Amino acid sequence: MSLKKLYFGADYYPEHWKEENWEKHADLMRGANINVVRLAEFAWSKIESQEGKFDFSWLDEAIDILIRKGIKVVLGTPTAAPPKWMMDKHPDIYNVDEYGNIRGFGSRRHYCYNSEIFQQFTRKIVIEIAEHYKNNPNIVAWQIDNEFGGLCYCDNCLKAFKRWLKKRYGTVKRMNEEWGTVFWSQTYNNWDEAILPGYTVCDSGTPYAHNPGLLLDYRRFNSDSCIAYQKLQVDIIRKIAPAQPVTHNMMGMFNEIDYYKLGEDLDFVSLDNYPNNQWGKAHYDSPGLSADVMRGIKKQNFWVMEQQSGPCGWNFFGDTPKPGQLRLWTYQQIAHGADAIVYFRWRACLFGIEQYWYGILDHDGIPRRRYLEIQQTGQELQRLSECLVGLKVFSQVAIVRSYDCEWSNIIQSHNKNFQYDKIIGQYHRALTENHISTDIVNSLDDLSSYKFVILPAHILMTEEIKKHLMDYVTAGGNLLITYRSGAREWNNQMTTKVLPGLLKELAGVEVEEFDSLNHGRTVKVMMKNELIEGYASVWCDILKTDGAEILATYAQDYFSGMPAITVNNLGNGKVYYVGSDLDQKFITHMVGNFTREGGVNPLLPEPVSNVEVMKRIMGGKEYLFILNHGEEEVSIPIDGFELISNTQLKGMLILKPYDVAIVK
Ligand code: GLA
Ligand code: ZN
């Protein structure tokens, strides 16, 4: 879907404010160049205060006011917050934890995807809302629910899991084989005996020490349950209001749901983006990574449905965004393919657990610094929207992120400090620091347009994926495979093949032994032809080459001198194998070298620290987005026309702290 207009907006909760404020809110929104709001995604009890009693009058009125001011609407289905009357009447809707405890009323997302009663209530409310607003041309999109997530261990899930297993395996015998239930006498005689992997005796941290095949299938099942639940809603809206596109607000690197599959049923995906909150402060690269994940889901541009607009937290605050950062973070998303930006939230709420989550306006409703910054950003974006919306991001490099591998890596993470998300983040950051933009793709996605592909910890393998990678490399592609790839079958069993299993032929190496590094141990790694060294602190694959050339060796411990990093020529391409985790500096350096050899062109000739560069193209025109995330002014040698300031550069771009340029 290509929108000509750049939607710029806020998440708005008119139900939190007396009606007398609505008109003033809308005026202030217009003043800030806002042209869209998202509404109603938690307003179930306000719309259906008792079973079957629907009241849209308040929402109609709020929408009328907004529309009169020229503001369009994204309408949320309110299913993330089932009301109390429903929960009291049908307690089996509640989500249940692995101990069998009900996750009770009082927050949100307290429902189970597999509750048939809840599905019925969902159908009813979604039909009502869709019918009520289907002819309103000012509804520009529907958002289904809100930030899907959560695992459930209730009886509805158990029943549904049994059905899911039966469909997947056909026979119990096959399921037993795939899981290896002969281990510890876990063999199942019939479907009815199947279990959810809840609380049990042995504990290896969370999850409990269940069969890894069962655990992986449970993750797949849970994700599928969510996808089916979303589809139930999407189908209704498509039928009743076919003109309006449907989206869901996702959470970047969140990993409980296979976003590739969740995205299949949507017209476009949306991201919720909070770089800096109670739970942490992101490195400047990670919102970019989240955006790349979003763009990779449907291989198309996305919306930001919630973009940070103030200091935020639930019980305490993250750092207040510094002057310029709200604007910078907005441009960062646009640089990565956002076609719309919606700020969370319009005005800080007076009550509820998000009282501390500041928006564009403070509690007192007085426009201050953040309002003015967003106003300015909106003005710039409206002026440039013609040449921003629908631009394609141009990437020569892809990182493969598979949810199945993610789950397998979560279930047994090899080392306490190993995290699949983290390794993806490290390689992404290495590319960013080399001014190379990245696409995030699934294991079997088309790779033919990439000069370089990175396959981090792709623990699960199939013959099909092997062939896919082989085809890519032999045709001239460059592939980098890391440790903990190829060790397992798709059912989560260990492979009997010499490691890295199905990837051995590609890599031209064998993993002779490995060493998991614990208790703060590190191992030095040396690049052969350079004076560069790095440190492993998680894992060392001790390699034996079988055709590959050695690029780096370990320089410590009993495997000192053994290969750590190799390269193998295969067909017209190359396969790098990186046998250990390494510090960021080393990875950045290594990735810079390898991609250069692979013919990847960095977007700036020399790395400038804290500066991020993205390229977007349209109709043969190229736009470089240059973002200074640092606290220092930077000078970048570059020519071209700078769009935001409307100036012709004369060989040099000066960027103030947190400033942005778009160079054509
Ligand atoms: C999420 C949700 C919002 C809000 C914000 C802030 O992104 O989607 O409803 O709760 O977090 O906490
Ligand atoms: Zn359940």
Side-chain angles (χ1 to χ4, degrees):
M1 194 195 49
S2 165
L3 303 153
K4 290 285 159 298
K5 179 174 180 152
L6 188 130
Y7 282 113
F8 189 74
D11 299 296
Y12 182 41
Y13 302 90
E15 68 274 28
H16 295 174
W17 301 97
K18 295 207 177 83
E19 278 176 47
E20 65 213 42
N21 293 285
W22 295 355
E23 186 96 21
K24 189 166 171 228
H25 282 161
D27 285 332
L28 279 172
M29 285 177 190
R30 281 314 297 163
N33 296 301
I34 283 176
N35 57 22
V36 69
V37 292
R38 183 196 60 184
L39 298 177
E41 85 281 10
F42 293 110
W44 199 334
S45 72
K46 190 85 181 140
I47 294 172
E48 190 182 4
S49 59
Q50 290 170 44
E51 183 166 358
K53 277 190 75 181
F54 294 93
D55 174 17
F56 290 103
S57 58
W58 66 276
L59 189 55
D60 289 345
E61 201 180 315
I63 291 178
D64 275 353
I65 292 174
L66 292 159
I67 287 170
R68 256 189 281 122
K69 309 281 173 183
I71 298 168
K72 306 274 183 196
V73 172
V74 173
L75 211 47
T77 66
T79 48
K84 187 67 167 38
W85 58 258
M86 187 190 302
M87 303 311 290
D88 283 357
K89 238 190 231 171
H90 305 283
D92 94 318
I93 293 174
Y94 276 114
N95 179 290
V96 170
D97 74 5
E98 65 263 53
Y99 303 100
N101 294 328
I102 284 176
R103 280 194 248 252
F105 196 82
S107 56
R108 59 179 177 185
R109 304 219 59 75
H110 40 272
Y111 70 84
C112 165
Y113 300 120
N114 288 307
S115 158
E116 278 167 29
I117 292 169
F118 186 62
Q119 292 168 5
Q120 282 167 28
F121 279 115
T122 298
R123 257 180 226 114
K124 269 190 227 154
I125 186 120
V126 176
I127 289 172
E128 286 288 330
I129 299 181
E131 283 290 351
H132 191 86
Y133 291 105
K134 66 180 175 192
N135 294 322
N136 190 330
N138 296 292
I139 311 293
V140 293
W142 292 86
Q143 176 188 298
I144 307 291
D145 203 284
N146 189 82
E147 292 188 343
F148 281 129
L151 302 170
C152 183
Y153 299 81
C154 78
D155 287 343
N156 293 316
C157 283
L158 178 58
K159 267 187 242 149
F161 190 42
K162 288 173 183 171
R163 285 196 299 271
W164 186 93
L165 289 169
K166 200 168 164 186
K167 194 162 161 223
R168 184 174 182 85
Y169 294 115
T171 66
V172 182
K173 182 165 172 279
R174 167 117 189 271
M175 180 180 86
N176 281 316
E177 282 163 11
E178 298 270 353
W179 289 357
T181 52
V182 63
F183 185 80
W184 284 359
S185 197
Q186 288 167 353
T187 305
Y188 300 90
N189 285 312
N190 53 58
W191 298 113
D192 229 25
E193 288 180 0
I195 60 161
L196 294 171
Y199 186 43
T200 182
V201 180
C202 296
D203 177 1
S204 57
T206 310
Y208 285 88
H210 279 282
N211 178 301
L214 161 64
L215 286 169
L216 178 56
D217 274 348
Y218 169 68
R219 290 265 175 181
R220 289 170 171 152
F221 155 77
N222 188 70
S223 171
D224 284 356
S225 300
C226 171
I227 291 161
Y229 176 72
Q230 176 182 261
K231 185 154 191 308
L232 180 164
Q233 298 202 28
V234 173
D235 287 349
I236 293 170
I237 292 173
R238 287 251 165 80
K239 200 167 150 213
I240 299 175
Q244 296 153 343
V246 181
T247 189
H248 173 71
N249 54 335
M250 306 186 185
M251 297 176 279
M253 290 292 280
F254 181 76
N255 57 32
E256 283 171 8
I257 301 154
D258 184 332
Y259 277 166
Y260 298 112
K261 287 194 198 161
L262 191 74
E264 280 172 19
D265 294 323
L266 300 170
D267 294 293
F268 64 92
V269 304
S270 299
L271 168 68
D272 291 351
N273 181 38
Y274 299 97
N276 195 344
N277 59 44
Q278 148 172 11
W279 295 281
K281 189 168 180 169
H283 180 271
Y284 78 80
D285 184 50
S286 58
L289 168 57
S290 293
D292 294 345
V293 169
M294 293 298 110
R295 208 179 60 250
I297 293 171
K298 295 185 77 70
K299 321 292 172 224
Q300 74 184 31
N301 291 351
F302 60 95
W303 281 38
V304 180
M305 199 58 91
E306 296 180 15
Q307 170 82 1
Q308 182 168 354
S309 62
C312 53
W314 283 4
N315 335 65
F316 42 88
F317 292 99
D319 295 3
T320 296
K322 296 188 198 303
Q325 277 188 319
L326 297 179
R327 174 172 174 267
L328 177 71
W329 294 338
T330 301
Y331 276 103
Q332 182 180 32
Q333 291 302 313
I334 290 174
H336 283 263
D339 272 348
I341 301 284
V342 181
Y343 294 94
F344 188 91
R345 54 199 355 230
W346 167 243
R347 179 172 172 183
C349 192
L350 308 181
F351 39 72
I353 186 60
E354 293 185 349
Q355 284 165 311
Y356 282 175
W357 210 284
Y358 275 59
I360 300 174
L361 296 182
D362 299 332
H363 295 107
D364 61 15
I366 296 171
R368 294 198 172 83
R369 167 173 80 79
R370 301 192 309 278
Y371 177 92
L372 296 176
E373 189 171 319
I374 285 169
Q375 178 183 56
Q376 180 202 332
T377 310
Q379 208 169 354
E380 292 170 1
L381 291 174
Q382 294 314 341
R383 182 165 61 77
L384 299 173
S385 73
E386 277 294 296
C387 58
L388 290 182
V389 177
L391 284 188
K392 283 199 84 63
V393 171
F394 172 81
S395 302
Q396 297 177 315
V397 179
I399 296 178
V400 177
R401 179 179 186 231
S402 143
Y403 289 91
D404 292 274
C405 290
E406 175 121 32
W407 295 327
S408 175
N409 280 315
I410 289 172
I411 291 164
Q412 291 172 299
S413 73
H414 327 283
N415 177 290
K416 232 186 187 153
N417 294 319
F418 177 80
Q419 262 177 278
Y420 183 68
D421 292 13
K422 204 169 130 193
I423 188 172
I424 288 175
Q426 281 175 320
Y427 277 90
H428 190 274
R429 179 167 157 188
L431 291 160
T432 303
E433 288 178 342
N434 281 290
H435 304 313
I436 294 168
S437 101
T438 310
D439 285 352
I440 303 292
V441 299
N442 205 355
S443 315
L444 287 170
D445 284 347
D446 182 11
L447 302 174
S448 57
S449 66
Y450 301 111
K451 292 195 169 161
F452 204 98
V453 172
I454 298 176
L455 191 77
H458 204 282
I459 182 88
L460 306 175
M461 274 298 291
T462 63
E463 289 285 353
E464 195 186 5
I465 297 173
K466 175 188 171 180
K467 180 174 182 303
H468 183 64
L469 296 171
M470 270 290 190
D471 289 349
Y472 166 69
V473 173
T474 48
N478 298 286
L479 179 69
L480 184 154
I481 300 171
T482 82
Y483 67 104
R484 299 327 275 154
S485 294
R488 292 171 185 257
E489 309 277 338
W490 205 250
N491 59 14
N492 220 11
Q493 291 197 22
M494 304 308 293
T495 179
T496 55
K497 298 190 169 59
V498 175
L499 296 186
L502 286 171
L503 296 164
K504 178 169 119 29
E505 196 186 332
L506 277 124
V509 294
E510 291 183 3
V511 179
E512 182 69 10
E513 265 197 85
F514 59 78
D515 191 3
S516 170
L517 308 182
N518 295 292
H519 318 297
R521 251 176 81 216
T522 57
V523 171
K524 195 197 264 188
V525 177
M526 300 271 293
M527 274 293 186
K528 260 184 82 190
N529 300 320
E530 296 177 273
L531 288 172
I532 173 113
E533 62 184 42
Y535 287 87
S537 58
V538 175
W539 194 268
C540 299
D541 272 345
I542 302 159
L543 304 175
K544 199 168 91 183
T545 56
D546 179 15
E549 180 193 331
I550 300 167
L551 297 178
T553 52
Y554 295 106
Q556 242 176 309
D557 223 300
Y558 76 93
F559 43 92
S560 185
M562 298 290 281
I565 302 173
T566 57
V567 63
N568 191 34
N569 289 313
L570 194 76
N572 295 319
K574 278 185 179 164
V575 180
Y576 296 87
Y577 189 89
V578 179
S580 72
D581 71 297
L582 289 150
D583 52 276
Q584 186 65 50
K585 202 169 152 224
F586 189 99
I587 297 179
T588 298
H589 177 85
M590 172 180 80
V591 164
N593 282 352
F594 293 175
T595 50
R596 205 171 310 118
E597 275 165 33
V600 176
N601 316 106
L603 298 170
L604 290 181
E606 291 298 324
V608 187
S609 57
N610 294 319
V611 168
E612 182 184 9
V613 190
M614 291 291 294
K615 179 150 103 179
R616 295 187 64 180
I617 48 179
M618 189 161 59
K621 288 196 190 115
E622 296 190 351
Y623 301 83
L624 274 194
F625 287 68
I626 307 176
L627 305 112
N628 181 9
H629 293 277
E631 291 175 13
E632 310 283 330
E633 183 174 293
V634 291
S635 315
I636 296 161
I638 189 170
D639 259 325
F641 189 79
E642 203 288 311
L643 291 175
I644 304 174
S645 61
N646 238 323
T647 48
Q648 181 65 44
L649 301 174
K650 297 192 182 78
M652 189 64 80
L653 169 73
I654 313 269
L655 273 185
K656 295 216 160 47
Y658 308 126
D659 204 359
V660 182
I662 304 176
V663 181
K664 194 162 103 167

